[in-house]
């Protein structure tokens, strides 16, 4: 009669031997199923971006606008204000944020909810950068109260990319 210890030892030795034979290729393990091959879609990136919405095109327009405004700001004389604000610094901040968020807008098609993130980025660039540009070029503070709303939209755009 075989006792419990002998049975455990026989099972352990048998399993070890079977694992060695499986690894060599003598026996195939029936429980292990080979994973299916990955699905690879061969599609040019421009087609993929077009399928995701208008955001890459809008990013192209935004980038061109940022370059034009950057060139204007580099060669422009900014008006003097009563408060002695440095309008050139305000302009440079707007232009830097415009460029950075244009690059972010190009990546929007890669996130799960591109229309939410893209809408926040576009609204944020318009409100934040637009009001800063306006203030820097004219010296008027009329629209500056909208700048924090634009900044909040930019933050929400980044957070929407997490969704």
């Amino acid at each position: 009669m075989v006792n419990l210890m002998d049975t455990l030892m026989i099972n352990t030795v048998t399993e070890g031997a079977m694992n060695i034979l499986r690894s060599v290729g003598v026996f195939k393990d029936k429980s292990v199923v080979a994973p299916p091959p990955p699905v690879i879609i061969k599609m040019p990136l421009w087609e993929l971006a077009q399928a995701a919405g208008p955001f890459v095109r809008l990013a192209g327009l935004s980038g061109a606008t940022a370059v034009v405004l950057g060139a204007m700001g580099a060669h422009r004389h900014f008006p003097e204000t009563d408060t002695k604000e440095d309008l050139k610094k305000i302009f440079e901040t707007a232009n830097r944020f415009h460029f950075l968020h244009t690059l972010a807008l190009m990546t929007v098609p890669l996130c799960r909810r591109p229309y939410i993130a893209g809408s926040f980025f576009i609204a944020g660039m318009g409100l934040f950068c637009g009001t800063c540009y306006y203030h820097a070029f004219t010296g008027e503070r009329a629209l500056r109260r909208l700048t924090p709303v634009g900044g909040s939209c930019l933050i929400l755009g980044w957070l929407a990319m997490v969704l």
Side-chain angles (χ1 to χ4, degrees):
M1 181 162 174
V2 179
N3 65 16
L4 182 61
M5 288 304 287
D6 290 339
T7 304
L8 288 175
M9 188 169 15
I10 291 171
N11 287 343
T12 304
V13 170
T14 305
E15 272 303 309
M18 289 301 289
N19 285 337
I20 291 171
L21 292 173
R22 282 188 197 108
S23 67
V24 175
V26 175
F27 290 114
K28 299 272 184 198
D29 191 7
K30 294 178 184 176
S31 65
V32 177
V33 178
V39 177
I40 299 174
I41 300 172
K42 293 190 176 190
M43 177 184 241
L45 284 177
W46 66 269
E47 284 182 9
L48 182 65
Q50 262 187 334
F55 297 110
V56 174
R57 285 187 176 143
L58 288 172
L61 290 173
S62 178
T65 305
V67 171
V68 169
L69 288 169
M72 284 176 55
H75 300 289
R76 179 175 170 75
H77 176 70
F78 292 95
E80 292 292 325
T81 60
D82 295 336
T83 59
K84 299 295 182 203
E85 291 177 293
D86 190 3
L87 296 180
K88 180 116 173 125
K89 275 190 170 182
I90 293 171
F91 171 81
E92 288 170 354
T93 300
N95 198 241
R96 184 177 62 246
F97 271 66
H98 191 171
F99 270 117
L100 291 173
H101 288 89
T102 295
L103 293 174
L105 189 61
M106 286 180 63
T107 65
V108 161
L110 302 175
C111 68
R112 184 178 290 170
R113 305 233 192 303
Y115 285 96
I116 295 171
S119 298
F120 277 126
F121 278 138
I122 291 168
M125 282 191 292
L127 290 171
F128 182 83
C129 301
T131 57
C132 288
Y133 283 140
Y134 179 78
H135 178 63
F137 285 148
T138 64
E140 293 182 28
R141 299 185 56 85
L143 299 178
R144 284 299 294 223
R145 67 180 180 275
L146 295 175
T147 305
V149 175
S152 298
C153 287
L154 292 175
I155 293 167
L156 289 172
W158 284 106
L159 291 175
M161 291 183 83
V162 176
L163 296 178

